[in-house]
Amino acid sequence: MLRERIADGRTVMMIAVEDGEPVAVGSHQPVDVDGTGMSEIVGVATLPRFRGRGLGAGLASTLVEHARETVQTVFLAAGDDDVARVYERVGFARIGTTLVAERVSD
């Protein structure tokens, strides 16, 4: 499914490499909504031993630059406050909180 999304341009994936090995990854998912393009930054992750070097922030920044070439709005959701601080360093601002609802079995 991911290969199909990449081939169709519905997912753009980027990888940071050190010594030929992937150490961080992330993607954005552009869509056109009523003629206004938007893309969500998703799945930004860095291997634990490479954290604290700015790889996640650099990758997120590069994904935003790429997304802004074709869409008007770029957004994301941070999993916790530490992750939110990484995104704030690359220019994102907290504007709200999301909630997830689950259906409760009867």
Side-chain angles (χ1 to χ4, degrees):
M1 182 175 88
L2 182 57
R3 286 183 182 149
E4 182 180 307
R5 289 187 61 86
I6 291 170
D8 291 345
R10 294 178 291 139
T11 295
V12 176
M13 182 172 276
M14 296 185 180
I15 300 170
V17 176
E18 185 172 293
D19 296 327
E21 297 294 323
V23 297
V25 64
S27 62
H28 73 89
Q29 299 179 346
V31 296
D32 186 33
V33 178
D34 298 327
T36 304
M38 62 177 53
S39 191
E40 180 179 11
I41 305 294
V42 295
V44 177
T46 303
L47 290 175
R49 71 179 188 270
F50 292 94
R51 291 181 186 155
R53 299 182 187 186
L55 292 171
L59 196 55
S61 179
T62 303
L63 286 162
V64 169
E65 286 178 32
H66 186 272
R68 296 285 294 158
E69 292 175 7
T70 58
V71 302
Q72 184 175 354
T73 303
V74 179
F75 69 98
L76 53 76
D80 59 38
D81 286 340
D82 290 335
V83 173
R85 282 189 286 278
V86 170
Y87 294 136
E88 287 170 342
R89 285 198 305 266
V90 299
F92 283 92
R94 296 181 197 207
I95 61 168
T97 301
T98 59
L99 301 172
V100 177
E102 281 187 30
R103 180 177 224 150
V104 179
S105 299
D106 293 338

